Amino acid sequence: MSSGPLIEIRRLYKSYTRGGQAIPVLTDVSFEIGRGEFLALMGPSGSGKSTLLNCLAGIDRVDSGEIVVNGQDITLLDETDLARWRSRSVGFIFQFYNLIPVLTALENVELPLLLTGLTRRERREHAAAALAAVGLSDRSDHYPAQLSGGQQQRVAIARAVVTDPDILVADEPTGDLDRTSAEEILTLMNRLNQELEKTIIMVTHDPRAAQEAHVLRHLDKGELSRAADTPGR
Amino acid sequence: MAIPLSYSWRNLLTRRVTTVLTAGGMALVVFVFTATLMLAEGLRQTLVSTGSPDNVVVLRKSSETEVQSTLDRQVSNIAATQPELATDSQGRTMAAREVVVLFVLPKRTGEKSNVVIRGVGETSLELRPQVRLIEGRMPAPGSTEIMVGQSVLTKFAGVGLGQTMRFGQRLWTVVGVFDAGRTGFSSEIWGDAEQLMQAFRRQAFSVVVAKLRDPDGFEPYKARIEGDPRLQAEVKRERQYYEDQSKALSRFLKVLGVSLTGIFSVGAMLGASITMYSSVATRTAEIGTLRALGFRRRDILLAFLAEALLLGALGGAAGVAASSLLGFLTFSTTNFQTFSELAFGFTLTGEIAATSVGFALFMGVVGGFLPALRASRLVIVEALRSG
């Protein structure tokens, strides 16, 4: 499915300082993520998988190493450029959906488009199309509190794809959902990967969710513990 | 601004009770601030409208008020017969030699206060078209009859129509009540100048008030009167004279009001600050999400500042709206410059409303700045983790 790496991760190191002591979180992590790949990152709690995901998404900094996306090393970008890069290249799917409670479903989806040059009308059209794609056109005026967990996560997915980013990062996207809703979300993510060729990086504890991925990588104590698996393929 | 204003506005609406309480605190401060400015403006407008643009007042040199001034008969005669002055239909110059004395009268509340008693001439009423008799009749010339201003009637005891009062060792009968609108004359008692001079053993008038034939005649009139070394007199436009009267009290009210509200506003700003800090604390994950989506620190700062500004605008609007109701009230106090009781109202002008809302916005920005800065400086990953 992939045609050359979209993301090249080279010798990543990251540690946190606690009580004056440096605690390594990522140690010499290097691998590649192909264009259109659906990658699942697994590992025990504290293994560094969320930290790695955050670094790849450009919301956390590494101590050293390179993250080259589409030929551009994002570790060299300053904060403003990194924010701009995120808004164009990354869509986020969070465990607890992270929708803005005071905005309607449609407005939540429209939010990332406020950072583009689109007119209000164009923004509304794009947002409505994204909501339709996740099957929630009839819920566009609902506030997050009026939606079920599964529906909220679908709105979050619509928000993640509305700017048509190359990469979708998902941190435990099914972690807060019941089995049926989780299945719906995984199916939706699979569709995004298959039909829209989105590159998806997903952190999960859920083996069922990991089954949807093309590539499975395990992290343990900040290191990639073994070579990539190819579950369910 | 990348994050729409509706986001900030809806967050305020969501926390309705906190918003109302915080804006209410600001509104109280704005209310006091606006009320003080309205009072100072009311005083100024009352005194300024007391004077007519065509009238001049001749006082003894260096006397700031009518009460301090004395003009003997010769001086007042010269001042009242100059070519720049207008004449009435019978060919008489429109000038009035008036005497002004202060007298202590008991108020309805039991306190005592100074009242201006103005001894007027035949032309005094013509010179003050805003003075209208509303009850009874005009005092007869050469008698011990008096008429009282509407504010005197409502605020003082024993001054009703037909009642008598003793001052200057004579008994005076109230035969009329006059209304002079929102001018200083409403706070005065008028009687015959010659009778009052005799009663108070005065040899001299206090002022000469005269109407100019043409407003441009002021400068030559002033130059002649003030240039004559025998007269030792000073000429002012009547409007300017009354405006000067309002300065000290108006300034005092403003300084008092602004100082008080300055202190109160610290409390209101702290209130706004606490509200905004709590708003940031409960929305930390939300801020992390916005930052992750690509909104910059500046966008977050502006969104929270906008929220604080909206809070200030709400407080400002409520405070100004509440204080506008004060326009229906009349306030009465002693004017330090004349030591006499003066009734005036609260006057709201566009400038005062704008200044008050500006003050409220300032409180919002100052109170909201640090919380907004804190919101903009949150580390994305930590903020997201807090959710």
Side-chain angles (χ1 to χ4, degrees), chain A residues 16 54 59-60 79-80 83 86-87 92 94 96 98 100-104 107 111-112 114-115 143 159, chain B residues 2-4 6-7 10-11 14 285-286 289-297 299 380-381 384-385 387:
Chain A
Y16 289 121
N54 291 339
I59 57 173
D60 203 356
E79 196 156 341
T80 308
R86 279 199 304 272
S87 70
F92 288 86
F94 301 97
F96 300 108
N98 289 36
I100 307 297
V102 297
L103 301 181
T104 62
E107 288 166 339
L111 205 52
L114 294 170
L115 296 164
Y143 287 92
R159 179 179 69 184
Chain B
I3 300 175
S6 59
Y7 167 75
R10 286 188 209 168
N11 271 303
T14 304
E286 204 172 301
T289 307
L290 289 169
R291 295 269 286 116
L293 293 181
F295 289 96
R296 292 161 300 171
R297 289 183 189 279
D299 300 323
I380 302 175
V381 176
L384 286 171
R385 212 174 283 148

Side-chain angles (χ1 to χ4, degrees), chain B residues 98 100 139 148 160 165 176 179 191 212 235 241 278 280 324 336 363 386:
Chain B
E98 295 180 348
V100 177
V148 298
M165 59 181 97
D179 176 35
L212 291 168
V235 179
Y241 167 76
S278 101
V280 171
S324 70
F336 305 141
M363 286 195 288
S386 79

Side-chain angles (χ1 to χ4, degrees), chain B residues 312-334:
Chain B
L314 278 178
V320 171
S323 56
S324 70
L325 299 176
L326 293 173
F328 297 109
L329 296 181
T330 305
F331 186 79
S332 162
T333 190
T334 299

Side-chain angles (χ1 to χ4, degrees), chain B residues 12 15 18-19 21-23 26 265-283 304 307-308 311 363-372 374:
Chain B
L12 284 177
R15 294 171 290 117
T18 322
T19 301
L21 289 177
T22 313
M26 287 175 149
S265 70
V266 175
M269 284 189 274
L270 281 176
S273 202
I274 291 166
T275 300
M276 291 308 297
Y277 266 123
S278 101
S279 177
V280 171
T282 52
R283 277 148 65 196
F304 276 84
E307 203 167 312
L311 204 54
M363 286 195 288
V365 169
V366 172
F369 184 73
L370 286 178
R374 180 182 149 72

Side-chain angles (χ1 to χ4, degrees), chain B residues 139-175:
Chain B
S143 72
T144 55
E145 293 175 346
I146 51 172
M147 61 178 183
V148 298
Q150 179 85 30
S151 294
V152 175
L153 184 68
T154 52
K155 300 231 167 6
F156 287 87
V159 294
L161 202 60
Q163 289 186 289
T164 54
M165 59 181 97
R166 178 170 285 281
F167 54 81
Q169 296 174 338
R170 289 191 194 186
L171 208 56
W172 304 80
T173 310
V174 180
V175 297

